[in-house]
Amino acid sequence: AQSVAQPEDQVNVAEGNPLTVKCTYSVSGNPYLFWYVQYPNRGLQFLLKYITGDNLVKGSYGFEAEFNKSQTSFHLKKPSALVSDSALYFCAVRDWNQGGKLIFGQGTELSVKP
Amino acid sequence: GAVVSQHPSRVICKSGTSVKIECRSLDFQATTMFWYRQFPKQSLMLMATSNEGSKATYEQGVEKDKFLINHASLTLSTLTVTSAHPEDSSFYICSASPGQGHGYGYTFGSGTRLTVV
């Protein structure tokens, strides 16, 4: 079965510093990978995706992610964190063997301090 | 484009009553919608896959008689929590995929905070 793992429950970063939120995946075939962000009491907002093509994917709000096939990773990054980036982040993979539904990681809470 | 509207955003109901949550795709047709449940600061748990014109597919452990799903049109799916109890209090989120033209991703509703008292 397809799966994604986010090894960190929480990431703390100072404002202005670079941030990384980690995600590793386990899939058969080509992975369709996504990052979403969730603010309190809200639904999920799409940040970026990797389907095919360049390994470095640029997304919304200055975020980017690098697809690394050899390490089966898809880490989310941002060069300079903002306090407003504080939220819950989810990595997900689309499971074509189960009707195309999204399989989510456990989520990582990002806290950016001034 | 690709907007999913979910209503209500917040509902408080008495134990034993039923609550209906609506999920609408506003600018695309969704033959399939998904319903998730989320506990505080936890991941999304897929409850069921809603299929237009047919019965929903429930995930293991989800009571289909408790969580009734109806997908009567290509733009509307509803989740009814029947005979609600305090343990049903949670955050419920729906989603739909606009299809290949949107990169195979999903669009999510803004969620419904259900509190059963």
Side-chain angles (χ1 to χ4, degrees):
Chain A
Q2 324 283 48
S3 66
V4 290
Q6 295 177 243
E8 302 157 316
D9 290 335
Q10 184 156 7
V11 170
N12 298 309
V13 178
E15 187 176 31
N17 284 0
L19 70 87
T20 299
V21 183
K22 296 180 180 178
C23 172
T24 59
Y25 65 89
S26 174
V27 303
S28 56
N30 296 321
Y32 284 47
L33 295 162
F34 303 85
W35 274 103
Y36 289 88
V37 60
Q38 185 182 32
Y39 295 97
N41 292 310
R42 301 300 303 273
L44 273 64
Q45 295 179 32
F46 170 79
L47 283 179
L48 50 81
K49 66 180 185 292
Y50 174 83
I51 305 297
T52 186
D54 290 340
N55 290 340
L56 183 63
V57 180
K58 293 189 182 296
S60 306
Y61 313 119
F63 284 93
E64 59 187 32
E66 185 169 8
F67 173 69
N68 188 315
K69 189 172 183 178
S70 63
Q71 297 185 8
T72 62
S73 67
F74 189 56
H75 300 332
L76 181 70
K77 299 182 179 184
K78 187 173 182 180
S80 178
L82 300 173
V83 173
S84 58
D85 292 329
S86 299
L88 194 53
Y89 290 80
F90 291 100
C91 181
V93 63
R94 190 153 186 176
D95 189 346
W96 294 108
N97 294 326
Q98 297 192 59
K101 66 183 181 183
L102 279 180
I103 306 297
F104 287 93
Q106 304 93 312
T108 299
E109 186 171 6
L110 173 66
S111 177
V112 182
K113 301 293 186 184
Chain B
V3 177
V4 170
S5 174
Q6 188 173 340
H7 180 80
S9 59
R10 187 179 297 267
V11 59
I12 301 173
C13 71
K14 291 185 177 180
S15 186
T17 62
S18 296
V19 173
K20 180 184 285 187
I21 303 170
E22 292 187 349
C23 181
R24 294 180 184 272
S25 56
L26 297 186
D27 49 3
F28 65 98
Q29 294 183 334
T31 55
T32 303
M33 290 186 175
F34 299 87
W35 286 96
Y36 294 86
R37 182 174 181 175
Q38 185 183 30
F39 292 102
K41 297 191 177 181
Q42 293 189 24
S43 191
L44 280 70
M45 181 191 78
L46 180 65
M47 299 174 65
T49 301
S50 170
N51 303 298
E52 187 270 334
S54 64
K55 291 182 178 180
T57 303
Y58 289 83
E59 296 297 304
Q60 192 171 7
V62 178
E63 299 176 61
K64 57 183 67 176
D65 294 332
K66 174 97 179 140
F67 299 100
L68 299 179
I69 291 173
N70 183 276
H71 195 155
S73 77
L74 287 171
T75 59
L76 174 64
S77 175
T78 61
L79 168 68
T80 301
V81 182
T82 63
S83 186
H85 291 283
E87 57 265 31
D88 299 324
S89 298
S90 192
F91 194 58
Y92 294 87
I93 306 175
C94 68
S95 75
S97 177
Q100 182 177 348
H102 291 263
Y104 300 100
Y106 282 81
T107 300
F108 288 81
S110 55
T112 297
R113 171 71 60 193
L114 170 63
T115 303
V116 184
V117 298

